[in-house]
Amino acid sequence: MAFAGVAAVFVTACGGGDETAIAPVSEGGSAVVVRAVDGLRWENPTYTAEAGDVRLVLENTSSLPHNLVVIDAESTELPVALDAPSRSDVDEATIPLAPGTYALLCKIPGHATMNATLTVE
Ligand SMILES: [Cu+2]
C-alpha cells in the first residue's frame, strides 16, 4: 500500500509543492513515507533513511490538515516543506541528507505532538 501511495503522487500532486529549492529526484535513493494518522501524530515515532538524496513523502490519513518540515541537529529548518491539507493528500520532495539525526515536525498550531525522529545513516 505504501508504494501505491507513492505512485499516486505523480497523479494527484496539485501545485502546492514548490520544488525550486529541491534537487531533482534521483532513482534509487531511499524513500521515507511519513503518514499523519488520527490523534495528532505521525504513524511512527522514528524513521530511518540512507544518506544521500532522500525522497520524503507526506501522506495524510487523518481528518485534519498537516504539513511536514525537517529540522536538523542545529535546529535549522531545511528548505523543504510538504503540505497535505486533506485526507488522502500526498506531497513529496527529494532532499539531500547527510548522516545525522533530524526532527520531522508538523508546524500547524496545536500539532506539536507530531514530532518524529529521522535517523540518516
Ligand atoms: Cu499536523
Side-chain angles (χ1 to χ4, degrees):
M1 282 185 286
F3 291 102
V6 171
V9 165
F10 300 105
V11 178
T12 61
C14 55
D18 179 355
E19 299 177 14
T20 54
I22 306 304
V25 172
S26 68
E27 291 302 327
S30 60
V32 178
V33 178
V34 181
R35 282 190 193 84
V37 298
D38 285 324
L40 288 178
R41 61 183 185 87
W42 303 124
E43 180 181 35
N44 300 319
T46 61
Y47 294 85
T48 59
E50 290 181 28
D53 285 342
V54 175
R55 175 183 280 173
L56 193 61
V57 180
L58 168 62
E59 181 179 351
N60 191 349
T61 67
S62 84
S63 54
L64 295 171
H66 299 290
N67 56 40
L68 177 62
V69 298
V70 182
I71 312 293
D72 71 11
E74 281 76 45
S75 299
T76 300
E77 184 175 325
L78 302 185
V80 57
L82 302 181
D83 195 30
S86 301
R87 185 188 296 274
S88 301
D89 282 350
V90 178
D91 196 9
E92 74 159 73
T94 298
I95 54 173
L97 292 178
T101 301
Y102 301 82
L104 303 175
L105 303 180
C106 175
K107 293 180 75 177
I108 292 177
H111 291 206
T113 50
M114 306 183 76
N115 183 349
T117 300
L118 171 63
T119 301
V120 177
E121 298 174 319

